[in-house]
């Protein structure tokens, strides 16, 4: 099962409280805490809290995804639009590299 580590700020946002309220909730429920390499303490969210967080996160960012889809036009989702953009960028770099190597080969043959 996937694990979701949340910061105290994310927990406070989810439960509409302040950071102190989030800390109290974590301590009262005895949720596991971990100090991460970036210096922040994150909490291992139980399955029901992780589910609520993901639904809340998706609802907040739904309008951004919709505007991305409108911008992308023919793409069904944000992932397809991002992949198409990467193909355009890396495809043009690959084409330029191929053209440069082809020119190099023709100049050596002449």
């Amino acid at each position: 099962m996937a694990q979701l580590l949340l910061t105290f700020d994310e927990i406070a946002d989810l439960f509409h409280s302040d950071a102190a309220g989030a800390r109290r909730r974590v301590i009262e429920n005895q949720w596991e805490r971990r100090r991460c390499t970036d210096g922040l303490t994150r909490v291992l969210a139980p399955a029901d809290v992780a589910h609520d967080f993901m639904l809340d996160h998706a609802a907040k960012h739904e309008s951004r995804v919709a505007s991305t889809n409108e911008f992308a036009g023919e793409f069904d989702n944000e992932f397809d639009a991002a992949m198409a953009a990467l193909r355009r960028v890396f495809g043009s770099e690959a084409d330029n590299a191929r053209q440069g190597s082809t020119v190099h080969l023709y100049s050596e043959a002449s």
Side-chain angles (χ1 to χ4, degrees), residues 25-43:
R25 181 180 298 271
V26 168
I27 292 168
E28 288 171 3
N29 291 307
Q30 298 179 354
W31 295 342
E32 182 181 341
R33 291 168 287 190
R34 298 179 186 173
R35 173 75 74 170
C36 296
T37 57
D38 60 1
L40 293 175
T41 299
R42 290 192 168 77
V43 176

Side-chain angles (χ1 to χ4, degrees), residues 42-104:
R42 290 192 168 77
V43 176
L44 180 61
D48 59 332
V49 174
H51 180 74
D52 292 344
F53 176 80
M54 295 304 290
L55 291 176
D56 187 54
H57 183 76
K60 284 182 182 176
H61 298 285
E62 188 173 289
S63 62
R64 188 175 71 180
V65 171
S67 66
T68 303
N69 286 344
E70 290 171 11
F71 176 74
E74 71 274 7
F75 302 107
D76 292 334
N77 59 40
E78 189 174 351
F79 177 78
D80 290 338
M83 289 303 296
L86 287 172
R87 284 188 197 103
R88 280 195 307 271
V89 169
F90 290 117
S92 65
E93 287 179 5
D95 290 342
N96 291 342
R98 268 189 245 119
Q99 288 174 354
S101 63
T102 305
V103 170
H104 180 68

